[in-house]
Amino acid sequence: MNHDSPQLRTIAIARVSAHAPLPSGRPVIFSGALLACRAVEEWSLARLRAEHGDADVPVRVSDEGAPQLFAGDPQRAFRFLHMPLARVIDDFGRAGPRRYVQLCDLGSTLPRLAADLPAPAQVGSLYASPAYAWICDGGTVNPLHF
């Protein structure tokens, strides 16, 4: 990437509290918006496994020792499949393929968890995306996305 490119520019991102009004047309970072939600207080791998282990979740699989980054088409770099969440969690830390629950729509796949993760009140109808979960163990690599 050429950092001298005229297409690149820096955008200041404001930090706002969970109850502050949003600046119009600007990206923001919500500070503390989820501190009191059930997801932060109660979610753990043990709870996810016990309460949602039978849920069929989307999983990205990387072969052991294979690069976890790709250049181009992710469908060619990784295998994608569905499997029970408990099996994914049970395989964390074991030798073999690296499994990564990726882009798991909470509303359709884990609806009881979606209620634990409300959208900040300020976004109201502007919030068009559903809540997604990404669940992995240490050593998993994923390109930065937004």
Side-chain angles (χ1 to χ4, degrees):
M1 178 181 290
N2 180 357
H3 293 285
D4 297 325
S5 170
Q7 289 94 5
L8 296 178
R9 62 187 177 111
T10 302
I11 298 174
I13 299 177
R15 288 190 175 272
V16 298
S17 75
H19 305 290
L22 295 178
S24 179
R26 304 289 302 178
V28 298
I29 296 173
F30 289 102
S31 296
L34 300 176
L35 290 178
C37 79
R38 289 185 61 192
V40 172
E41 295 174 358
E42 299 177 13
W43 286 12
S44 67
L45 288 178
R47 176 179 173 221
L48 292 175
R49 189 188 188 294
E51 296 181 15
H52 307 282
D54 59 343
D56 191 44
V57 296
V59 179
R60 182 191 87 187
V61 180
S62 302
D63 291 328
E64 185 174 19
Q68 295 178 52
L69 299 176
F70 60 91
D73 183 4
Q75 298 296 329
R76 296 181 67 194
F78 309 110
R79 292 187 317 277
F80 293 89
L81 50 94
H82 281 77
M83 61 192 319
L85 180 58
R87 183 171 164 208
V88 177
I89 292 171
D90 289 346
D91 285 345
F92 286 168
R94 294 185 180 162
R98 182 162 303 281
R99 293 184 172 93
Y100 177 29
V101 176
Q102 179 176 314
L103 204 64
C104 179
D105 182 335
L106 291 180
S108 64
T109 306
L110 302 166
R112 293 185 319 233
L113 290 179
D116 290 353
L117 193 62
Q122 300 96 316
V123 297
S125 63
L126 298 175
Y127 188 72
S129 176
Y132 290 99
W134 285 262
I135 305 168
C136 59
D137 66 342
T140 301
V141 177
N142 193 48
L144 178 65
H145 56 276
F146 56 92

